[in-house]
Amino acid sequence: MISRQHLLSRHRIALISATSKLLLSIRNKSMVLNPQVPKLSQSLHCTCYSYLRNRGSTPVNLRSKGTSRMIQKSYFSIDAKRCWNCQSIIDPKDVFFCSSCTVIQPPDTNLTFFGYFDSPVSYQVDIEKIKRSFLKLQAELHPDKFVQRSSKEKDFSAQQSALINKAYETLSHPLNRGIYMLELEGFDLEEKETTTNVEFLSTIMDINEKLLDCEDVKLLDDIENEINEKLANCVKESASNFSNCDFIHARDSIVRMKYFFNIMESIKEKRLLLGVASL
């Protein structure tokens, strides 16, 4: 028998799905007549999207690109996932192992990096919690624990282990985390992504010139402190923009962050040349 809570959850999801489809229809028909419609659509879509994505295994794929925030897909898969070994239905919470036969499962392609660590999709993550989850999963999924298992289990172990390593590296770094969240939204940053902000580019050039001519450790420390402060501001701005589903400005913050992290790498190289340790 389906519980009342489960039934309400299904109704809520169905309502959100219908709302997303309606928003797309309204936007396509009305955005020319009423410029406020896209803004309303973005706000409601953000609410729907955050609710669904934070449920865990990403049952939907709502992606966007550019200012239009176009909803490309808004549907649910009702096919139950089954264990490849015993054919039992896999509970969505059992990400890595079957609860019936305890056999390791293949990676879930619908799961975000956040889902691996049972964390909501948010730029402001609990790094310590993610680290604890990562170390626990690393011990459980390491290929060394599956040397006596079947070739299939060995393959799944290697795949799962590689994925959690990549997920941790991505989410534990503010720049990588921001780039990944933009990719989830359909904003793919190029490796050499640049900005057209002339004032910002002028600031970057000035810092690079000072760094190039720097032979004084005290001046190098001052430059590093300045960049750390600018990075902290970028992280704060990014958190605010992602929280408000303002992905256009979030992208700008992440692009600026890339410039500052590149300068930090140059500072490390300069310290090696000067034979001094980092701060």
Side-chain angles (χ1 to χ4, degrees):
M1 180 177 293
I2 300 176
S3 67
R4 181 174 180 273
Q5 182 179 4
H6 180 66
L7 194 60
L8 287 173
S9 179
R10 285 173 56 183
H11 286 167
R12 187 181 298 115
I13 293 173
L15 176 61
I16 291 174
S17 177
T19 301
S20 295
K21 292 177 182 178
L22 179 61
L23 288 175
L24 178 59
S25 175
I26 292 174
R27 181 192 177 281
N28 288 340
K29 295 178 181 178
S30 307
M31 66 177 295
V32 176
L33 298 177
N34 184 359
Q36 296 301 316
V37 169
K39 189 176 295 185
L40 173 63
S41 175
Q42 175 172 329
S43 175
L44 288 175
H45 169 68
C46 176
T47 302
C48 299
Y49 182 74
S50 298
Y51 172 79
L52 293 166
R53 288 289 292 279
N54 288 337
R55 288 179 61 82
S57 59
T58 323
V60 293
N61 180 18
L62 303 180
R63 296 179 67 84
S64 59
K65 188 152 188 170
T67 56
S68 63
R69 306 274 297 127
M70 289 291 288
I71 302 172
Q72 294 179 343
K73 293 182 181 179
S74 181
Y75 58 86
F76 293 85
S77 173
I78 59 174
D79 295 333
K81 181 181 176 182
R82 292 185 177 273
C83 171
W84 64 270
N85 182 60
C86 70
Q87 298 304 308
S88 297
I89 294 178
I90 299 292
D91 189 301
K93 294 180 180 179
D94 297 330
V95 176
F96 303 102
F97 298 93
C98 172
S99 59
S100 297
C101 66
T102 70
V103 166
I104 190 170
Q105 298 300 300
D108 186 344
T109 57
N110 289 321
L111 201 64
T112 67
F113 285 169
F114 293 91
Y116 276 107
F117 306 116
D118 193 26
S119 175
V121 180
S122 171
Y123 188 78
Q124 294 177 293
V125 295
D126 186 338
I127 298 296
E128 287 302 314
K129 177 190 173 185
I130 286 180
K131 185 177 181 179
R132 289 193 300 270
S133 298
F134 167 68
L135 293 175
K136 180 176 180 292
L137 290 172
Q138 194 179 45
E140 294 175 351
L141 300 169
H142 197 280
D144 287 350
K145 296 196 68 174
F146 295 84
V147 291
Q148 301 298 325
R149 301 295 184 91
S150 67
S151 59
K152 203 167 190 177
E153 290 171 278
K154 290 177 184 177
D155 288 343
F156 291 155
S157 168
Q159 293 170 27
Q160 293 278 31
S161 186
L163 273 173
I164 64 164
N165 285 336
K166 184 178 180 181
Y168 179 70
E169 290 173 3
T170 299
L171 299 187
S172 60
H173 192 285
L175 176 59
N176 295 339
R177 183 167 66 250
I179 292 174
Y180 175 69
M181 289 188 66
L182 287 174
E183 288 175 352
L184 290 179
E185 292 295 335
F187 292 84
D188 297 327
L189 265 64
E190 300 293 333
E191 185 176 348
K192 295 184 178 180
E193 190 82 26
T194 59
T195 178
T196 57
N197 187 318
V198 177
E199 184 179 353
F200 175 75
L201 289 175
S202 178
T203 300
I204 294 298
M205 287 179 62
D206 289 342
I207 295 173
N208 279 324
E209 286 178 4
K210 284 198 298 182
L211 188 58
L212 185 64
D213 298 332
C214 179
E215 298 294 336
D216 179 71
V217 176
K218 176 65 169 60
L219 178 57
L220 191 61
D221 290 344
D222 290 342
I223 295 174
E224 185 168 353
N225 286 330
E226 179 185 354
I227 299 303
N228 277 326
E229 184 176 340
K230 291 181 182 298
L231 277 172
N233 289 334
C234 278
V235 169
K236 186 176 180 181
E237 288 177 21
S238 298
S240 176
N241 290 328
F242 278 117
S243 177
N244 294 325
C245 294
D246 185 354
F247 303 112
I248 299 298
H249 286 102
R251 178 189 173 281
D252 293 339
S253 298
I254 295 301
V255 169
R256 283 187 281 114
M257 196 185 297
K258 287 183 70 174
Y259 278 94
F260 292 134
F261 270 113
N262 286 337
I263 292 177
M264 290 300 289
E265 289 300 314
S266 298
I267 291 174
K268 290 180 182 178
E269 293 174 4
K270 193 69 174 183
R271 286 188 179 280
L272 289 174
L273 289 175
L274 296 178
V276 294
S278 299
L279 288 176

